[in-house]
Amino acid sequence: VARQMVGNDGKFAFYGLKENAYQIIATAEGFETAKLPVDMHYLASRYPTVYLTPIGTKQISPAPTESTTDLAAPKSARKEYEKGHDALESKNLDGARKHLEKAIAEDPCYARALTTLGVVLSLQHDFPSAEDTFKKSIKCDGGFLQAYIQMGLLLDAERKYEEGETILEQGLRVAPQDWQLHYRLGAAHHRLGKYEAAKEEYEKAVSLSQDVPSEIHIRLADACLRLKEYDEAYNEMQTYLKIDPDGPLAQQTKTLLKRVDGMRKAEDAGKQQ
């Protein structure tokens, strides 16, 4: 689909991606080729970390974090989940749903399978069933954070912003240091016009991780503009351009930056008078 060099800081980014499933292939002289799947349905998956292993060294991949219900799920349920996940990556929604429903029939409280089924149902536009499935996942395993994140995304798409606030706040009581939950909660506050609260959540997300998408600074800038905090808005836009000078929002940010600079100067002039 696309190819690029990694920067000196080890970071890379691709823009204009329209599909739901990709595979990153990283190569470097003297290292084993690394491959990593990216599932665009999951926010966390969009910001992967790729580990390279020197040639001749036994490669040990870090195991995915297992939830309580992962450990309790019988082998037959896990196999059906894996088939369902593979079908989802292949965009076979009907096949994915079939296998995931089988996994849940084997283990009705298998949170990972329930959450992934919720994603499938969302893609099939069966939103009420998706909501119910995410709720069941959370009830079965309150520590499985992807359920909160995916339900927050669904409620945002349905414009149920207050419900989104509630579920994301519930997730944060479980994992107060999870940047994705803070980011999504900030977006819910933003939609509801709670700009001060949105700003606080965005800033918290930025303070917790370097993996936050650069666009969060544009969201912060917008919140600051609505609060008439022009200096802060200006600084956030400059931060975005510094991090992502050729990003998808770079050109319109540069244009807006000039307008905001004018607002700052007008405000300063008013204060002097």
Side-chain angles (χ1 to χ4, degrees):
V1 176
R3 180 181 298 185
Q4 65 168 251
M5 300 292 287
V6 174
N8 291 332
D9 58 0
K11 293 184 178 181
F12 60 93
F14 294 98
Y15 301 105
L17 301 177
K18 298 179 181 179
E19 303 299 329
N20 292 320
Y22 292 91
Q23 184 180 55
I24 293 173
I25 301 174
T27 61
E29 186 175 351
F31 290 84
E32 300 280 359
T33 297
K35 297 181 180 181
L36 189 71
V38 173
D39 185 343
M40 298 295 280
H41 296 112
Y42 293 95
L43 183 63
S45 184
R46 299 178 196 173
Y47 304 94
T49 299
V50 184
Y51 296 94
L52 297 183
T53 303
I55 291 173
T57 303
K58 183 178 180 181
Q59 187 167 1
I60 302 174
S61 299
T65 302
E66 291 189 298
S67 71
T68 303
T69 56
D70 280 338
L71 298 170
K75 190 175 181 180
S76 55
R78 286 192 177 215
K79 283 186 175 180
E80 289 297 338
Y81 165 76
E82 289 168 2
K83 291 177 182 178
H85 185 269
D86 289 345
L88 176 57
E89 286 193 330
S90 301
K91 304 178 187 177
N92 178 6
L93 298 182
D94 290 336
R97 181 170 181 171
K98 178 182 176 181
H99 287 295
L100 292 166
E101 286 176 341
K102 283 185 177 180
I104 295 162
E106 292 281 342
D107 183 350
C109 244
Y110 189 179
R112 191 179 300 276
L114 284 163
T115 300
T116 306
L117 177 59
V119 172
V120 172
L121 293 168
S122 299
L123 292 171
Q124 292 181 324
H125 302 285
D126 187 354
F127 300 136
S129 295
E131 281 190 42
D132 289 341
T133 305
F134 288 137
K135 287 176 182 177
K136 186 175 180 181
S137 177
I138 292 168
K139 185 177 180 180
C140 285
D141 186 353
F144 189 63
L145 300 185
Q146 277 298 334
Y148 299 99
I149 294 166
Q150 289 299 323
M151 189 168 180
L153 289 166
L154 174 61
L155 293 170
D156 181 77
E158 294 182 284
R159 300 184 179 182
K160 296 180 178 179
Y161 307 128
E162 291 182 349
E163 290 181 42
E165 278 184 322
T166 300
I167 201 70
L168 291 164
E169 286 169 349
Q170 183 181 341
L172 280 168
R173 286 195 288 273
V174 176
Q177 300 302 307
D178 187 85
W179 72 265
Q180 295 177 82
L181 290 169
H182 284 288
Y183 186 20
R184 296 312 316 166
L185 181 57
H189 288 327
H190 209 139
R191 298 282 199 185
L192 290 166
K194 301 177 181 178
Y195 302 119
E196 189 65 54
K199 179 184 170 186
E200 289 178 10
E201 294 301 328
Y202 291 147
E203 289 175 339
K204 183 67 173 178
V206 171
S207 72
L208 287 171
S209 175
Q210 294 181 347
D211 293 331
V212 292
S214 57
E215 287 81 0
I216 196 170
H217 295 285
I218 300 302
R219 290 178 178 268
L220 262 168
D222 184 72
C224 290
L225 281 174
R226 294 175 186 275
L227 293 167
K228 297 184 179 181
E229 297 172 350
Y230 301 124
D231 284 341
E232 289 190 51
Y234 186 85
N235 291 336
E236 290 298 335
M237 284 187 278
Q238 282 191 317
T239 299
Y240 171 76
L241 291 172
K242 183 178 180 181
I243 294 172
D244 212 349
D246 300 313
L249 302 175
Q251 192 54 53
Q252 64 192 77
T253 300
K254 291 175 184 176
T255 301
L256 183 58
L257 199 63
K258 294 177 181 178
R259 291 174 55 192
V260 174
D261 191 35
M263 295 176 186
R264 293 168 66 212
K265 290 176 179 176
E267 184 178 50
D268 289 341
K271 287 178 181 178
Q272 290 176 1
Q273 290 177 1

